[in-house]
Amino acid sequence: MKRFLSIFLLALAAASCSMFDQGKYLTINGTIDPSFDGFNMYFRPQPFPTGDIVDSCKIKNGKFSFKILADTLSVGDVVLSFSSMQRVESILVAVEPGTLTMEIGKDSRAWGTPLNDTLAVWKSFIENNLQSKRNEELIVARNTFNRRTADLIKRQPNALGGYLFFLFSPQFPGDLVTELDSLKIYQYMPDVTKRRIKYKK
């Protein structure tokens, strides 16, 4: 009986560890037109990706998948191999535990985890409101983009907000940068000193 109980407890512990480990990963299940079968999809940690930290997988039957360690919040993007000679939209991903469903094409999208759902709402708003053609409309659209992006950054005082601040603050007006600086968003920005460091897997 004691032997059975020991085996049961070991099995339970192993199952618990397995469940705990699964909670530390972001699983990406993606689809793309099957005409891209045989090409690679890449997941590139951002910013400053180097070859040894980029993950890849083959497209098969119009499908691809990644399993990415998500023990800390980070960001990356999913892109199609440049050798395909085709333009499809890459997509920014927040690396957080969960399962992300992704469709890659001219208008790529992803959904399934909290931060990535937030990114999808932001992306949809920006796309639907930046279709202006006249100069004065472009100015309004640019201001709308800046404000909407800044609002997203303020709601994400983490690696995602820091990365978006890193990307877009150069085009923000001074008062908006000052506002975000006062919230100390800059402390979540990527460490630019790592640009020349070779990352290890």
Side-chain angles (χ1 to χ4, degrees):
M1 181 67 178
K2 288 183 178 179
R3 183 172 180 274
F4 173 79
L5 183 60
S6 297
I7 293 173
F8 174 76
L9 290 174
L10 283 172
L12 182 62
S16 298
C17 289
S18 176
M19 290 174 64
F20 181 74
D21 288 344
Q22 288 177 3
K24 289 185 176 182
Y25 287 87
L26 172 67
T27 299
I28 298 176
N29 295 319
T31 58
I32 191 170
D33 192 290
S35 63
F36 294 108
D37 281 5
F39 287 105
N40 281 340
M41 293 297 301
Y42 294 98
F43 176 80
R44 305 183 303 185
Q46 292 291 348
F48 320 131
T50 56
D52 56 336
I53 63 170
V54 173
D55 196 4
S56 66
C57 64
K58 288 283 186 186
I59 300 167
K60 185 176 181 181
N61 298 323
K63 297 179 180 179
F64 62 91
S65 64
F66 293 98
K67 188 174 183 180
I68 304 160
L69 184 64
D71 53 349
T72 58
L73 178 64
S74 59
V75 294
D77 57 12
V78 175
V79 299
L80 175 65
S81 170
F82 293 127
S83 64
S84 70
M85 302 298 289
Q86 297 291 324
R87 289 181 62 86
V88 299
E89 185 181 29
S90 62
I91 190 163
L92 184 66
V93 171
V95 180
E96 59 182 337
T99 300
L100 190 64
T101 302
M102 182 176 293
E103 293 178 354
I104 296 293
K106 290 184 178 180
D107 297 302
S108 297
R109 62 194 190 106
W111 66 94
T113 66
L115 288 180
N116 286 296
D117 288 347
T118 298
L119 279 174
V121 171
W122 169 75
K123 179 176 182 288
S124 177
F125 177 87
I126 297 305
E127 289 175 345
N128 292 333
N129 289 273
L130 293 184
Q131 304 298 323
S132 305
K133 294 181 180 179
R134 298 187 315 187
N135 287 340
E136 60 270 25
E137 291 176 332
L138 286 172
I139 293 172
V140 172
R142 175 61 66 187
N143 291 336
T144 299
F145 171 83
N146 287 341
R147 175 50 62 182
R148 186 75 177 201
T149 302
D151 288 344
L152 174 59
I153 291 170
K154 286 192 289 186
R155 294 197 309 272
Q156 300 299 330
N158 51 40
L160 176 59
Y163 181 67
L164 293 175
F165 185 62
F166 168 76
L167 283 183
F168 297 113
S169 59
Q171 72 181 36
F172 287 169
D175 59 335
L176 200 52
V177 174
T178 300
E179 180 183 346
L180 292 170
D181 274 346
S182 70
L183 300 175
K184 299 184 178 180
I185 295 296
Y186 54 81
Q187 67 183 314
Y188 302 104
M189 285 178 61
D191 184 357
V192 295
T193 63
K194 293 182 178 180
R195 185 192 297 259
R196 297 182 179 86
I197 295 176
K198 186 174 183 180
Y199 291 75
K200 295 182 179 179
K201 287 188 177 181

